[in-house]
Amino acid sequence: MTNREKYHFDDFTLDNYRRLIRIALERGFSFIPYTSQKDVLRKEVLWRHDVEFEPDIALKMAEIEYEEGIRATYFFQLHSGYYNLFDRHYSEVFHKIKDLGHYWGLHFDCRYWGIADEKQLDEFITLDRSYMERCLGVGLEVFSFHNTTPFTQSCLNYKYGGLINVYSSYFKKNYNYCGDSLGYWRFDRLEDVLSDENVTHLQVLTHDANWSEEVLSPRKRFKKAIHDNAERKIKSQIDGMHRLGNLVPDDCED
Ligand SMILES: [Zn+2]
């Protein structure tokens, strides 16, 4: 068996992403926000994105979801080494995703603040929350932890800093879970989980850079996301220099 088969590389194209949404719809799942209380009389899915590397890819996924008539929840970082949510480009991406009808939340990084207890957790979520709300002109209701640790796994309250915790006991108890962490299905394949008659309430987690137009290994998908991001920035800067008319020739000749 090849790695492509073993790790289901073909699952992680944007075309297949659309197909997975259609399977969820065919199986009767309602796509709900985290603020919704569990309804045992219907099949429900909390369809979530932790935006880690390239919000432009998250936007492509948001557009697919919009076309398929569903709403997901996008969790954004404030302390990412890969994107700055308050850069104009990414603030616009945020608002485009929101304007497509999707929900949004804070993807909170305990390690950035060196948080050691739940009191500090309340304090710093409140701080990040107020900054994100103020800068983007939106309200926040929900957060997810970035990079779970033994400490974050012990934080099981329904809310911290006034925001709903997607890793709280409530969601662990009431919803099955399927995620694409590290670019493959570490436990069960999403397609199989969606088709499992015993799964009626589900939380799905995907990450932007784990998905691409073409079939690639997880590492190549990640590299492509980073390279595309860099290319966009290079093009933007060079186009700007052209507009100013002061672009120096790109060689060492006279
Ligand atoms: Zn994360």
Side-chain angles (χ1 to χ4, degrees):
M1 186 186 272
T2 64
N3 283 333
R4 178 173 175 171
E5 291 164 335
K6 185 177 176 188
Y7 296 104
H8 302 291
F9 291 178
D10 294 59
D11 279 11
F12 297 93
T13 64
L14 292 175
D15 283 344
N16 194 57
Y17 184 72
R18 185 187 297 276
R19 195 180 69 88
L20 289 166
I21 291 168
R22 289 181 178 176
I23 291 172
L25 288 168
E26 281 163 16
R27 295 283 166 179
F29 280 98
S30 296
F31 288 71
I32 61 165
Y34 284 87
T35 49
S36 171
Q37 288 295 303
K38 181 181 180 181
D39 182 345
V40 293
L41 299 176
R42 63 176 185 178
K43 292 173 81 169
E44 297 180 325
V45 62
L46 297 152
W47 199 279
R48 161 179 152 220
H49 301 258
D50 284 351
V51 182
E52 307 285 12
F53 302 109
E54 177 49 296
D56 285 24
I57 299 173
L59 176 58
K60 283 184 194 171
M61 299 172 91
E63 287 167 343
I64 291 169
E65 290 158 355
Y66 172 78
E67 287 162 10
E68 298 303 318
I70 66 137
R71 301 169 82 180
T73 309
Y74 286 80
F75 292 83
F76 291 88
Q77 290 193 47
L78 268 55
H79 308 288
S80 168
Y82 294 93
Y83 69 91
N84 173 8
L85 187 57
F86 307 112
D87 168 276
R88 180 180 294 209
H89 175 82
Y90 290 126
S91 294
E92 285 176 4
V93 167
F94 172 88
H95 283 289
K96 282 178 188 169
I97 290 173
K98 174 177 166 291
D99 291 347
L100 288 169
H102 298 298
Y103 312 104
W104 59 91
L106 170 67
H107 193 39
F108 184 76
D109 186 356
C110 279
R111 285 193 291 196
Y112 178 83
W113 294 113
I115 291 170
D117 59 46
E118 291 181 74
K119 185 171 171 296
Q120 289 181 332
L121 183 60
D122 274 325
E123 182 186 337
F124 286 103
I125 285 181
T126 301
L127 177 61
D128 273 5
R129 173 190 182 177
S130 64
Y131 191 67
M132 186 170 168
E133 288 183 332
R134 184 78 190 268
C135 291
L136 296 175
V138 297
L140 279 170
E141 293 183 292
V142 59
F143 82 97
S144 63
F145 283 116
H146 173 58
N147 286 344
T148 52
T149 63
F151 169 68
T152 66
Q153 285 172 326
S154 74
C155 298
L156 296 171
N157 290 354
Y158 185 62
K159 284 190 177 183
Y160 290 100
L163 298 183
I164 295 169
N165 170 19
V166 309
Y167 289 112
S168 60
S169 303
Y170 173 77
F171 293 107
K172 285 181 194 277
K173 187 164 68 98
N174 287 296
Y175 294 85
N176 287 82
Y177 175 85
C178 183
D180 71 351
S181 297
L182 307 179
Y184 66 100
W185 310 115
R186 282 171 74 193
F187 305 106
D188 298 310
R189 206 176 160 201
L190 179 55
E191 186 170 343
D192 296 337
V193 176
L194 291 170
S195 302
D196 183 342
E197 290 296 325
N198 295 315
V199 176
T200 58
H201 291 76
L202 176 66
Q203 177 169 198
V204 172
L205 170 61
T206 63
H207 300 83
D208 40 280
N210 288 341
W211 299 78
S212 62
E213 306 281 354
E214 59 214 294
V215 178
L216 297 169
S217 69
R219 202 174 312 173
K220 284 183 178 165
R221 274 178 252 140
F222 168 74
K223 282 185 179 177
K224 183 170 189 319
I226 301 303
H227 284 145
D228 287 353
N229 175 313
E231 286 297 329
R232 180 181 61 75
K233 287 172 179 156
I234 291 166
K235 183 175 183 311
S236 167
Q237 175 65 9
I238 290 178
D239 286 352
M241 290 161 84
H242 269 298
R243 274 196 300 278
L244 291 170
N246 59 354
L247 193 65
V248 173
D250 194 21
D251 56 47
C252 297
E253 294 166 16
D254 290 335

